[in-house]
Amino acid sequence: MKIGYVRVSTEEQNTARQDALMAELGVEKVFTDKESGKKKDRPGLKEMMSFVREGDVVIVESISRFARSTKDLLELVEQLTEKKVEFVSKKESIDSKELEAVIASTAMQVPSTYHLINYVVNSSNIISATANITLEKNGERFTGVSTGDGPIDA
């Protein structure tokens, strides 16, 4: 099922442009929020994350409508991936597989201000792999997970 997520920052803003895109793409169900993306606890987002099922595709107009920070984006995409739900951002022309590849490839290009604590790849003969990444900067740790089709440790 194609599922859309639409967000504007305030009640006064109009969702028409994003709604039109969802209709154009044949999205079957749309969840909407009219509040800042800085808030993680958005009702439409929460409802959508609970609603999605294996095989669904979540479509957003742009990444900025879905998440306001890389950390939030990674967490949301990880939750979708765990449910076997695909993620697509139309503006950036990127889907969850491409996003995960970017994350995995940049994990090994850590800026010198960060310290790579851990990079563990879990893979087997099945066609999937997961990379667990932990970075540290100024005593604060950041952890992320990247998953993909096929082994990424080859």
Side-chain angles (χ1 to χ4, degrees), residues 45-138:
L45 179 63
K46 256 176 105 168
E47 187 180 354
M48 184 204 66
M49 295 300 281
S50 294
F51 179 84
V52 293
R53 301 289 180 261
E54 182 176 340
D56 287 347
V57 178
V58 169
I59 301 172
V60 297
E61 183 269 335
S62 70
I63 289 173
S64 68
R65 301 296 86 205
F66 191 56
R68 295 301 290 185
S69 73
T70 303
K71 182 177 183 253
D72 290 347
L73 176 63
L74 296 177
E75 288 173 1
L76 290 167
V77 171
E78 180 182 349
Q79 290 171 33
L80 293 172
T81 301
E82 286 172 0
K83 291 182 165 198
K84 298 182 180 171
V85 172
E86 185 73 21
F87 171 78
V88 176
S89 171
K90 293 310 288 181
K91 181 178 181 181
E92 291 85 6
S93 297
I94 193 167
D95 64 23
S96 52
K97 290 178 184 171
E98 292 165 327
L99 185 60
E100 291 158 1
V102 169
I103 294 163
S105 69
T106 58
M108 298 312 290
Q109 301 169 19
V110 178
S112 59
T113 56
Y114 287 85
H115 176 68
L116 182 62
I117 302 293
N118 188 356
Y119 185 79
V120 178
V121 176
N122 304 311
S123 158
S124 64
N125 290 332
I126 60 171
I127 304 178
S128 68
T130 304
N132 298 297
I133 305 159
T134 304
L135 304 173
E136 184 174 78
K137 180 180 180 181
N138 299 329

Side-chain angles (χ1 to χ4, degrees), residues 33-46:
D33 279 315
K34 289 191 169 195
E35 56 186 88
S36 172
K38 291 180 182 178
K39 289 180 155 184
K40 285 182 165 182
D41 197 26
R42 301 185 303 266
L45 179 63
K46 256 176 105 168

Side-chain angles (χ1 to χ4, degrees), residues 5-51:
Y5 178 71
V6 169
R7 186 189 63 76
V8 291
S9 297
T10 67
E11 282 289 334
E12 293 76 33
Q13 290 179 313
N14 191 322
T15 62
R17 182 179 50 83
Q18 293 178 66
D19 291 334
L21 175 65
M22 296 300 150
E24 177 185 320
L25 297 173
V27 171
E28 299 164 66
K29 184 158 180 69
V30 177
F31 295 87
T32 303
D33 279 315
K34 289 191 169 195
E35 56 186 88
S36 172
K38 291 180 182 178
K39 289 180 155 184
K40 285 182 165 182
D41 197 26
R42 301 185 303 266
L45 179 63
K46 256 176 105 168
E47 187 180 354
M48 184 204 66
M49 295 300 281
S50 294
F51 179 84

